[in-house]
Amino acid sequence: MTAGALPVTGPGVQTPTRTAEGKPRHLYEVDVLRILTFACVIGVHTTSHTAASDDVPLNALLGLLHFTRLVFFTLTAFVLVYSYSLRPRPMSQFWPKRFLLVGVPYLAWSFVYVGASWLVGSTTRGDVPDLVRSYAEGVVTGVAWYHLYFLLVTMQVYLLLPVTVWLVRRTRGHHVAVLVVALVVQLVVFAGYAYFPASDAWLQGYQKQFFFSYVFFIVSGAIAADHAESFLRFIRVHRRAVLCGFVGAGVVTLAVWWLQVALGQSLNAAGTPLQPIQVLWSSAVFVGFLAVGARWADRRRPGSPLARVVDYGSDRSFGIFLAHPFVIWVLLYGDSWLERSVPGPWLTLVTYVLVLVLSVAVTELFRWTPLSVPLTGRPSLASRGQRQARARRRAAATPPPQRSPEPVEPDDALVGETDDVGRRAPR
């Protein structure tokens, strides 16, 4: 099968990207990858706020967890190009929807975090010009809170989708060479960030806010999408080797962390995400989590309790990502009762569980309000229920067309949706 071509299958034959009916398959493996990575995002931020600077095990764990941003940029590029290959559309249609589901939450949560800091700051409270200035700076630079730069980079990836698709299509037959070039560029960029800080001083500390800091991960995700059928089949056929490589890359990453500590770096600095070893480790995590997800997808029983839990987590994950730093801030603010009551290292585990539970609860609450789009990046469940009721009334009057049993969901690449198909009126 040529790169980028849809697989040809007969009736009753299911492939990694096609149902037995020959229609695009929901990639349940991506749901699992997304949930696992979001769980690790909460782990990164919880550990960063609760681990003592001299706690060796927790700082080593933090070094391992710093793959999250890189895996998500690979995932974002993968689902964007995969969805676009299934249903090409003019950018005049693509961009408005993408920027609505990511840009609006970015603006809304930037204001929430800047406003909260402004209200509790003894020197800024009441200074409206300072609030406006801080908000504008936060929106432009992605520093309104420590996780919002991710949305800023994601929107850059959206903006550059035409260039990415052109590159992938133009270089078919030479994708290995493209990956090698992107890998070399990425290693040079990360080596400069980690070991030669003067080389990127012109960025004035904003290295993580630019898409070119993640060029290999964006390019590799896009090329993997162009070979989605063979790529996902490879993951399944060689699952054991993929998982062994995942474990091996983790051991090497820990060894590099120990070496850098031995050479004089702090426990925290040795685990920075912008360093060459993270190219190996983050790539291994991406395919490793995808292998776990493929195992789940192949054995998934629709309607089972576990399937419902995974579907729920997939749907709420973006809202949880947006809200969880605020929950961490509330739990650990000032002379925190939590820090006074729970000794380390148990503080990290207890905080993680509380943050996860409260973030899910807050996201669920937001999903049922008119503020669901700006606060969770998803349409309100109340409005969804109203739409479904109207659809049922229409279906009662007119027999519905035959449709694939696979779900068709909003195409938000940030949270890994791959069902950007099936929205056209039946012919």
Side-chain angles (χ1 to χ4, degrees):
M1 183 181 68
T2 59
L6 293 177
V8 178
T9 62
V13 179
Q14 180 168 311
T15 76
T17 62
R18 298 262 127 180
T19 67
E21 293 79 18
K23 297 183 178 181
R25 184 182 72 84
H26 179 86
L27 301 186
Y28 290 104
E29 48 268 67
V30 169
D31 292 345
V32 174
L33 187 156
R34 178 169 64 254
I35 291 171
L36 290 175
T37 309
F38 270 123
C40 292
V41 169
I42 298 176
V44 167
H45 296 153
T46 301
T47 305
S48 297
H49 283 83
T50 58
S53 59
D54 60 349
D55 190 316
V56 174
L58 284 181
N59 278 282
L61 173 64
L62 189 60
L64 281 179
L65 290 176
H66 270 312
F67 63 80
T68 52
R69 74 181 70 178
L70 308 177
V71 168
F72 265 125
F73 289 132
T74 308
L75 174 61
T76 298
F78 177 85
V79 297
L80 273 176
V81 174
Y82 177 75
S83 298
Y84 189 82
S85 68
L86 292 175
R87 187 184 175 190
R89 65 180 64 182
M91 289 299 109
S92 59
Q93 297 178 16
F94 172 86
W95 281 325
K97 186 172 185 179
R98 295 291 179 174
F99 287 114
L100 171 67
L101 294 177
V102 175
V104 172
Y106 176 69
L107 295 174
W109 278 101
S110 292
F111 185 79
V112 169
Y113 286 111
V114 169
S117 298
W118 180 78
L119 286 173
V120 302
S122 58
T123 60
T124 59
R125 190 187 310 117
D127 186 349
V128 176
D130 179 81
L131 174 62
V132 174
R133 182 171 57 253
S134 297
Y135 179 66
E137 178 185 359
V139 168
V140 172
T141 62
V143 298
W145 210 247
Y146 53 78
H147 68 314
L148 291 176
Y149 76 92
F150 175 70
L151 276 67
L152 185 62
V153 177
T154 298
M155 288 186 284
Q156 295 172 39
V157 176
Y158 289 175
L159 192 64
L160 292 170
L161 179 62
V163 178
T164 304
V165 171
W166 174 86
L167 175 66
V168 168
R169 292 177 175 175
R170 188 73 176 83
T171 60
R172 281 175 180 161
H174 306 281
H175 283 166
V176 172
V178 173
L179 286 174
V180 170
V181 172
L183 175 62
V184 171
V185 171
Q186 191 69 69
L187 291 172
V188 170
V189 169
F190 274 10
Y193 291 163
Y195 307 122
F196 306 98
S199 65
D200 66 319
W202 60 278
L203 290 172
Q204 300 182 13
Y206 293 113
Q207 296 94 332
K208 65 182 182 181
Q209 278 90 340
F210 293 100
F211 76 93
F212 56 73
S213 295
Y214 315 102
V215 61
F216 172 74
F217 302 97
I218 295 170
V219 170
S220 62
I223 289 178
D226 198 52
H227 300 269
E229 177 73 19
S230 55
F231 173 63
L232 294 176
R233 191 184 305 279
F234 177 90
I235 292 291
R236 284 169 165 80
V237 172
H238 302 283
R239 182 182 294 114
R240 180 172 298 180
V242 167
L243 293 176
C244 287
F246 166 77
V247 173
V251 171
V252 172
T253 302
L254 279 177
V256 171
W257 182 84
W258 275 109
L259 176 62
Q260 293 182 138
V261 170
L263 292 175
Q265 290 195 25
S266 68
L267 299 180
N268 181 266
T272 177
L274 302 183
Q275 59 174 308
I277 189 60
Q278 282 293 341
V279 179
L280 169 67
W281 173 230
S282 300
S283 300
V285 171
F286 179 78
V287 294
F289 280 6
L290 202 56
V292 173
R295 180 75 166 180
W296 152 255
D298 294 344
R299 297 191 170 202
R300 178 181 181 273
R301 291 187 296 110
S304 67
L306 184 56
R308 290 197 295 269
V309 168
V310 172
D311 293 345
Y312 179 91
S314 174
D315 181 79
R316 270 59 169 187
S317 57
F318 185 34
I320 293 169
F321 168 79
L322 292 166
H324 82 273
F326 195 88
V327 176
I328 294 175
W329 181 64
V330 170
L331 289 175
L332 301 179
Y333 179 74
D335 185 20
S336 166
W337 63 269
L338 191 60
E339 291 181 290
R340 285 186 280 105
S341 304
V342 182
W346 294 106
L347 175 63
T348 298
L349 178 60
V350 172
T351 303
Y352 180 88
V353 173
L354 287 174
V355 169
L356 182 60
V357 171
L358 292 174
S359 298
V360 170
V362 168
T363 301
E364 184 64 25
L365 175 64
F366 290 157
R367 286 300 308 277
W368 289 94
T369 72
L371 295 176
S372 184
V373 169
L375 295 181
T376 73
R378 293 284 202 168
S380 167
L381 290 173
S383 64
R384 177 188 292 181
Q386 294 168 0
R387 291 195 303 271
Q388 290 173 343
R390 290 195 296 269
R392 284 193 295 269
R393 288 194 294 270
R394 288 194 299 269
T398 305
Q402 293 295 318
R403 301 185 63 180
S404 166
E406 293 291 315
V408 178
E409 304 171 37
D411 54 334
D412 181 359
L414 178 63
V415 292
E417 298 298 352
T418 55
D419 288 315
D420 191 8
V421 294
R423 292 290 186 183
R424 294 173 179 170
R427 295 180 181 273

